[in-house]
Amino acid sequence: HEYWHRGWFHKLGTGSEADVLVAADEEVKETWNGAVVSEDGQWLVIFRSLFNSNELWIQKVGSDERVPVVTGMKGEHWAEVVEDQLLILTDWNAPNYRLMAAPLTKPGQENWRELIPEAEDRLNVVEPIGGYLYANYLHNATTRIDVYSLGGERLGEVKLPTVGTASTSGYWSRARTLVTFSTFTHPRAIYRWDQASGELSLEKASPIDIDPTGIEVQQVWYPSRDGTQVSMFIVHHKDAPRDGSLPFLLTGYGGFNVSMKPRFSTLYATWIEAGGAIAIPNLRGGGEYGRAWHEAGMRDKKQNVFDDFIAAAEYLEREGWSHRDRIAISGGSNGGLLVSAVVTQRPELFEAVLCAVPLTDMVRFHHLGLANIWTEEYGSADDPEMFP
């Protein structure tokens, strides 16, 4: 089936015919359905989701009673069981997300209380590890990790090696906290974080043998067509000229709440070593600056995404970084739609286009494969208001 996504319980060593259906939607074919077992093995958190909204239930393992946490598909809510509480990361009345808590015995929305309030930066995820809550924020498309107690008291910040992208992993019942970190100049490595000493120590270095010391990264802001300020990463060799001669790879995505964050890429490093440079703008439609940023690049506002990308190329030329004869653009999937749209609208602005697995038929896409699920982001041509 292309739709009717379901979640099953499978016991290792048995045939699939013995699997037990755990999560399903018998009415809407486009939803995703599944379940997560709590660390202590006592609870199931069951979800039903679209791209931007979902429903949750909890169920005691061994019981048939499924208790609703939040229904109605009104916003995003992701939950985890910690001790006798359900912790819920949500954008309900909080476009930049916040963390709520509810007793497992009464998990409904009317019993939620705020544990970590909404901040200026988007709250990506909260990981409960070793008796602490690690709150992962996006600050100007880079990672910041704050540490909280289970009672909601802020205890400090994880000191990362430099500006980049990081995530934490571990178990609530164990003290070992691992931090995975990478950035444009720093291949992905794993560190151990000691909350007591506030020290980060290297656990596992990257096997990539590269000297990144010659690579420089800048984050700039530029105006889009409507005056909106858009952030962009520019990655280049420290001796790169600013005379318009630098070949640039300009790449972006701009959709589905996806954030373009600093990461190490051997392709980028090789390209820079060969004399090129990279530009990655944080286009509207992405998730870098919360729900409002995402919604400013959805449906009838999709042109904003293309305008942001076109303005990025114009900035590179205007500021002496490159010239339209030396700018190549690339994008895949929703990013393939992006580059195919901008090269159609402004063909004179780019010298080459790498367009990978693109979505280009915006009138008929919802009839192809399982692409009807994307109408949540793009709208549907069957809707007379959305067709234009």
Side-chain angles (χ1 to χ4, degrees):
H1 291 297
E2 290 176 325
Y3 294 102
W4 307 112
H5 177 270
R6 297 177 168 205
W8 301 77
F9 173 74
H10 174 75
K11 189 170 183 179
L12 292 176
T14 64
S16 60
E17 68 280 352
D19 291 359
V20 178
L21 184 63
V22 176
D25 188 336
E26 303 298 350
E27 296 176 7
V28 181
K29 69 180 185 294
E30 292 91 355
T31 59
W32 290 73
N33 298 272
V36 180
V37 185
S38 62
E39 186 181 316
D40 62 10
Q42 299 299 305
W43 293 89
L44 277 180
V45 177
I46 300 134
F47 65 85
R48 175 173 299 160
S49 69
L50 294 166
F51 283 106
N52 306 303
S53 56
N54 67 321
E55 301 178 315
L56 294 175
W57 297 262
I58 60 169
Q59 182 175 335
K60 185 84 170 156
V61 172
S63 164
D64 293 327
E65 186 186 8
R66 192 161 287 190
V67 181
V69 178
V70 59
T71 57
M73 287 288 183
K74 294 172 184 167
E76 275 197 87
H77 321 84
W78 297 104
E80 197 160 355
V81 175
V82 178
E83 297 182 5
D84 60 351
Q85 294 187 75
L86 190 68
L87 304 185
I88 307 125
L89 180 72
T90 179
D91 67 353
W92 172 56
N93 290 341
N96 277 350
Y97 299 79
R98 57 181 172 161
L99 188 72
M100 311 294 279
L104 285 171
T105 51
K106 295 179 181 176
Q109 206 164 11
E110 67 278 5
N111 299 310
W112 292 6
R113 61 185 175 83
E114 190 173 78
L115 207 60
I116 301 177
E118 184 184 22
E120 282 188 29
D121 293 331
R122 173 184 162 165
L123 179 57
N124 266 342
V125 67
V126 179
E127 297 284 0
I129 305 169
Y132 299 101
L133 303 178
Y134 291 87
N136 186 309
Y137 290 92
L138 263 182
H139 175 70
N140 291 343
T142 65
T143 300
R144 185 186 99 234
I145 301 174
D146 284 356
V147 187
Y148 286 84
S149 70
L150 188 55
E153 179 191 358
R154 187 181 180 279
L155 303 173
E157 189 174 345
V158 175
K159 298 181 185 74
L160 298 174
T162 183
V163 172
T165 301
S167 62
T168 50
S169 59
Y171 297 90
W172 179 254
S173 58
R174 302 181 199 169
R176 188 169 182 240
T177 304
L178 297 180
V179 176
T180 302
F181 178 84
S182 78
T183 189
F184 295 114
T185 57
H186 193 298
R188 194 171 81 161
I190 301 170
Y191 296 83
R192 187 183 289 207
W193 170 253
D194 186 318
Q195 176 59 25
S197 67
E199 294 296 323
L200 206 61
S201 54
L202 186 64
E203 182 90 355
K204 187 178 184 189
S206 168
I208 298 171
D209 182 23
I210 190 163
D211 177 14
T213 51
I215 302 175
E216 270 185 20
V217 184
Q218 291 171 263
Q219 188 175 40
V220 300
W221 294 81
Y222 65 90
S224 188
R225 182 180 182 178
D226 63 0
T228 299
Q229 291 290 314
V230 181
S231 61
M232 176 164 62
F233 296 107
I234 297 177
V235 192
H236 59 90
H237 193 273
K238 62 179 175 53
D239 299 326
R242 285 283 290 272
D243 58 4
S245 66
L246 203 55
F248 256 85
L249 177 64
L250 171 63
T251 184
Y253 192 76
F256 292 94
N257 211 19
V258 171
S259 299
M260 299 293 280
K261 299 177 281 191
R263 66 177 181 87
F264 186 79
S265 160
T266 49
L267 185 150
Y268 293 171
T270 305
W271 172 238
I272 290 165
E273 208 171 71
I278 309 287
I280 305 171
N282 302 120
L283 311 169
R284 281 176 283 186
E288 291 90 346
Y289 300 104
R291 189 170 66 207
W293 193 253
H294 173 209
E295 290 178 351
M298 285 174 67
R299 298 180 196 165
D300 57 322
K301 297 186 174 65
K302 191 67 182 172
Q303 183 61 41
N304 286 336
V305 185
F306 310 147
D307 289 345
D308 291 355
F309 197 70
I310 288 165
E314 291 173 334
Y315 173 90
L316 294 175
E317 190 172 62
R318 185 173 66 246
E319 295 296 317
W321 280 110
S322 194
H323 183 268
R324 57 191 62 194
D325 295 342
R326 303 185 75 75
I327 296 175
I329 58 174
S330 73
S333 191
N334 174 74
L337 164 62
L338 167 71
V339 296
S340 61
V342 299
V343 80
T344 303
Q345 293 179 4
R346 294 292 302 277
E348 82 288 353
L349 200 52
F350 314 105
E351 183 67 11
V353 185
L354 173 60
C355 180
V357 292
L359 176 65
T360 51
D361 188 345
M362 299 310 296
V363 175
R364 292 181 60 256
F365 76 86
H366 57 298
H367 297 299
L368 308 172
L370 51 69
N372 189 48
I373 60 174
W374 301 331
T375 57
E376 190 186 354
E377 179 81 7
Y378 299 125
S380 167
D382 291 346
D383 178 346
E385 290 185 16
M386 286 291 164
F387 181 85

